[in-house]
Amino acid sequence: MTEAETTALLPAGLRDILPPDAAFAADLVQRLRACFAGYGYDWVDPPLVEFEDTLFDGAGAAMTNETFRLMDPVSQRMMGLRTDITVQVARIATTRLANAPRPLRLAYAGDVLRVKGKQLRPERQFTQIGAELIGSESEAADVEAVTMAIDGLTRLGVAKLSVDLTVPALVPQVLAALEAPARAAAAVRAALDRKDAAGVDVAAAPLGQGATVFGLLLRAAGTAESALDKLARIPLPDAARREADRLGAVARALMAALPGTAFTIDPVESRGLEYHTGVSFTIFRAGVRGEIGLGGRYLAGRAGAARAQEPGTGFTLYLDPILRALPEPKHGERIYVPFGTPADAAAGLRENGHRTVAGLAPEANGDAPAEARRLGCTHLWHDGRIVPVAGTGP
Amino acid sequence: MPRTQPLPGERANDPIVLALPKGRILKEVMPLLRHAGIEPEPAFADEESRQLQFATNRPNLSIIRVRSFDVATFVAFGAAQLGVAGNDVIMEFQYSELYAPLDLKVGRCRISVAESAELAGKDDPSRWSHVRVATKYPEITRRHFAARGVQAECIKLNGALELAPKLGLCRRIVDLVSTGRTLKENGLVEVEKIADVTSRLIVNRAAMKTRPAEINGWVAKFGAAVEAYARAA
């Protein structure tokens, strides 16, 4: 046996999920699926691997560097392993379900694989659970996406959620209105990305008087109440003003609908929102590092294709930070059924929703409780009754 | 995976941890801290103290003192919410979970490429395709050279970089330069500046999003301190 076989080393960023965590994770996915179904979202299940050209189409282009590729020996074409399921669902919506009535509501869960984990989230394979609402431009659609994400998380018991709202298109629109040269625009965006207010003022200075709005936008970030107030007073070019007003309307509707959730607004945020266009959001949970999920508006479909691109919104939740935000799962109740117990006794227990663990050989020294304890069972089937096993229990 | 300890975010009035770098920068940052109204407990000034975490006059603010590179790591992972780090460290790690909202304008220096004076005389950088460089900053070095089409083989050292060319470990180094005296004493010359460096106030992204009022409050206090300090100087 080689050393690798004995130590079972896995490639970086990949891991085995063991009991009881694996069952717990599967249960969470199931509960979210039920929650989304309750809002009228139908389940879809795209494949793990697609041809590169469909995977990187439109919104997928942002993830080319993160994709594992392999050659399809059958068609001799390059394939890519999915890095994000949203793109696949958007593809389904605009091709195979192109004739389905709009708005189209689809939900999904599955694993994705990325070439590099981040330092803070080294996982290269992780589970996404999400929903997409395609074909509606309305504010109500934006509100539905956030509401459903928060509802799903709350039902799992993830409390103290905080939602950061933004419009990734806002800054590019102001830059475009100012006709900023590429170099100057990049300097402004870099300073905005650092949240460096003084740096923004310096970088924006060469762009003239109109560029002072970048500093104002950055300083407007904060709790939703204060940010909305400030945002309303910033002089913006028309296109950007429409986006900002939209953000304001969605934020007000959400604050009214979800009083238990904290809302912040950051008009200049762009991290993690590479392909989003309109109102977008990132979900945080105080004390859990990184984000729990994100979502927002994008354009579904291929730019320049015969069929026009469709407005879509939706969100993706990540299973691993959700698990970190919840108490550790425990093994549930399990009843040890000693060797020699008639089969119909155990069957009767299972019929009533119990979990049974059958003894396959006579217990050592005839000590059934000891054997139950050794196997991690909480209860024992003894004399036709369920008896708790001392020293165990959930 | 599921946690085993209580989450830090679960209590109201959660403590804020400020991570400060040991050494030279610390002396320059202390006046700013005082301007911002933060007074650490006496043990903090005692360099012999083995204590790692220090209380301050602010009931929910404590200070940790760690190596400069570790400041960014503590803050990026959310173990500290605020920190002070040079943009050399920020550039090296490029953590997506860090914001650097304020230039504290202390710890001024630059990160540069240096080589022996003898080599500098006859070297033609445009002919490079591969260089071997000793540095504390392998990422910055690799990116800097890659941008001009040169492959950099980095030898990671943690100090005394100036020795490397002298003893034949490699011919070039990438390091912080402030006055240039250390380079000169070791027969090296600065051939290229990669970036200017100053210390920045850094903030954990999730903390900024989930506790905006408190965190922005501290950023504003430090901002006022930087201005007051600049006026006084």
Side-chain angles (χ1 to χ4, degrees):
Chain A
M1 217 186 236
T2 66
E3 198 176 342
E5 278 171 310
T6 54
T7 55
L9 177 70
L10 294 171
L14 301 174
R15 65 205 168 108
D16 296 320
I17 304 177
L18 301 179
D21 300 331
F24 183 56
D27 181 48
L28 294 181
V29 173
Q30 186 50 44
R31 282 153 70 190
L32 285 171
R33 174 179 165 167
C35 170
F36 301 162
Y39 284 81
Y41 284 70
D42 291 323
W43 201 250
V44 287
D45 195 3
L48 269 176
V49 178
E50 287 189 26
F51 289 126
E52 261 190 344
D53 42 359
T54 59
L55 205 56
F56 298 154
D57 210 27
M63 297 301 290
T64 49
N65 291 335
E66 286 288 352
T67 307
F68 280 98
R69 294 169 170 87
L70 54 157
M71 168 75 87
D72 177 11
V74 179
S75 66
Q76 298 285 306
R77 289 169 68 189
M78 281 308 280
M79 307 189 296
L81 266 143
R82 67 184 177 195
T83 56
D84 185 63
I85 302 179
T86 303
V87 180
Q88 296 186 300
V89 176
R91 172 182 59 73
I92 291 175
T94 52
T95 55
R96 260 172 267 291
L97 295 180
N99 297 325
R102 287 344 195 211
L104 183 62
R105 291 178 163 92
L106 300 173
Y108 59 86
D111 281 11
V112 298
L113 201 62
R114 295 189 180 171
V115 170
K116 293 185 291 281
K118 290 192 221 157
Q119 265 161 316
L120 298 201
R121 236 173 118 237
E123 291 86 357
R124 296 205 283 180
Q125 179 184 340
F126 50 86
T127 308
Q128 290 190 331
I129 311 127
E132 308 298 332
L133 172 47
I134 287 152
S136 171
E137 195 102 57
S138 73
E139 277 161 26
D142 293 324
V143 174
E144 179 167 301
V146 181
T147 310
M148 203 165 88
I150 297 299
D151 187 16
L153 288 169
T154 310
R155 282 170 193 235
L156 299 184
V158 187
K160 294 186 65 132
L161 292 165
S162 180
V163 179
D164 189 46
L165 294 161
T166 188
V167 182
L170 199 58
V171 170
Q173 271 161 356
V174 178
L175 286 169
L178 292 170
E179 293 175 354
R183 234 192 134 86
V188 170
R189 296 179 84 155
L192 286 172
D193 187 54
R194 289 196 303 273
K195 305 262 177 275
D196 178 353
V200 169
D201 294 341
V202 172
L207 295 175
Q209 190 57 37
T212 52
V213 298
F214 293 116
L216 297 174
L217 283 172
L218 177 58
R219 290 178 179 92
T223 54
E225 293 85 353
S226 78
L228 283 177
D229 227 33
K230 291 178 189 161
L231 201 52
R233 289 199 299 265
I234 300 176
L236 290 169
D238 289 346
R241 173 44 59 197
R242 276 195 297 278
E243 297 285 1
D245 288 346
R246 170 76 173 239
L247 176 64
V250 172
R252 280 197 193 85
L254 284 169
M255 282 153 69
L258 300 165
T261 303
F263 285 95
T264 55
I265 289 181
D266 184 343
V268 301
E269 183 60 77
S270 62
R271 293 186 186 189
L273 300 166
E274 287 77 11
Y275 57 72
H276 291 86
T277 52
V279 174
S280 301
F281 57 97
T282 312
I283 303 171
F284 294 92
R285 153 72 161 87
V288 173
R289 65 169 181 262
E291 63 242 9
I292 285 189
L294 51 82
R297 284 223 161 258
Y298 57 90
L299 286 172
R302 183 180 297 207
R307 191 187 156 83
Q309 286 183 294
E310 278 187 89
T313 185
F315 63 87
T316 294
L317 305 176
Y318 303 114
L319 193 59
D320 44 311
I322 295 177
L323 285 167
R324 279 198 294 272
L326 289 171
E328 204 164 337
K330 295 192 177 91
H331 281 291
E333 176 228 60
R334 291 201 290 182
I335 303 168
Y336 182 70
V337 183
F339 180 71
T341 307
D344 56 347
L349 286 171
R350 285 194 295 273
E351 198 66 33
N352 291 323
H354 295 294
R355 300 202 298 159
T356 61
V357 175
L360 300 178
E363 291 78 24
N365 310 320
D367 190 350
E371 180 66 1
R373 207 171 301 123
R374 187 181 75 81
L375 290 173
C377 292
T378 54
H379 294 78
L380 175 68
W381 182 247
H382 182 71
D383 283 347
R385 283 183 305 123
I386 304 170
V387 238
V389 175
T392 62
Chain B
M1 264 298 93
R3 70 204 167 92
T4 47
Q5 293 163 347
L7 294 169
E10 278 181 339
R11 282 150 290 141
N13 250 339
D14 257 337
I16 288 190
V17 177
L18 168 66
L20 295 178
K22 289 177 180 169
R24 179 177 62 95
I25 306 292
L26 191 59
K27 288 197 184 70
E28 298 187 47
V29 172
M30 287 318 289
L32 293 175
L33 236 59
R34 300 217 169 82
H35 266 291
I38 302 170
E39 199 61 61
E41 64 175 306
F44 188 71
D46 174 10
E47 300 210 348
E48 298 296 299
S49 167
R50 305 189 66 134
Q51 202 176 328
L52 296 172
Q53 188 163 8
F54 303 88
T56 69
N57 57 335
R58 303 291 183 127
N60 71 339
L61 183 80
S62 64
I63 297 180
I64 56 170
R65 198 165 59 184
V66 295
R67 280 163 164 265
S68 62
F69 274 79
D70 296 343
V71 169
T73 308
F74 270 87
V75 177
F77 281 79
Q81 286 71 36
L82 296 169
V84 172
N87 55 323
D88 52 330
V89 175
I90 300 170
M91 282 164 65
E92 175 67 16
F93 288 124
Q94 295 207 312
Y95 283 124
S96 61
E97 298 301 308
L98 278 190
Y99 293 130
L102 189 63
D103 185 348
L104 297 172
K105 300 184 178 162
V106 297
R108 250 176 230 288
C109 56
R110 54 195 183 272
I111 178 165
S112 293
V113 186
E115 56 189 27
S116 68
E118 180 201 354
L119 177 64
K122 54 178 191 203
D123 201 15
D124 178 3
S126 66
R127 294 176 69 107
W128 293 349
S129 67
H130 169 271
V131 291
R132 189 189 298 157
V133 188
T135 181
K136 276 193 242 181
Y137 304 94
E139 284 304 318
I140 294 177
T141 304
R142 219 168 275 135
R143 273 200 305 271
H144 171 73
F145 283 103
R148 22 184 291 197
V150 178
Q151 179 201 125
E153 178 191 332
C154 297
I155 301 170
K156 167 90 166 102
L157 295 179
N158 295 309
L161 286 160
E162 293 79 6
L163 278 176
K166 212 177 193 170
L167 301 180
L169 185 63
C170 60
R171 300 202 292 177
R172 299 179 183 85
I173 64 169
V174 165
D175 198 11
L176 296 183
V177 183
S178 56
T179 59
R181 217 183 65 203
T182 320
L183 288 182
K184 204 167 171 193
E185 283 170 0
N186 286 283
L188 299 173
V189 288
E190 191 180 347
V191 288
E192 230 181 339
K193 182 176 85 177
I194 298 179
D196 285 310
V197 173
T198 53
S199 294
R200 313 292 166 106
L201 182 70
I202 57 174
V203 176
N204 173 262
R205 179 169 178 242
M208 179 88 119
K209 299 300 189 190
T210 53
R211 308 162 73 179
E214 276 169 282
I215 299 289
N216 284 329
W218 282 114
V219 174
K221 279 199 192 87
F222 273 94
V226 172
E227 273 179 35
Y229 195 58
R231 269 202 306 277

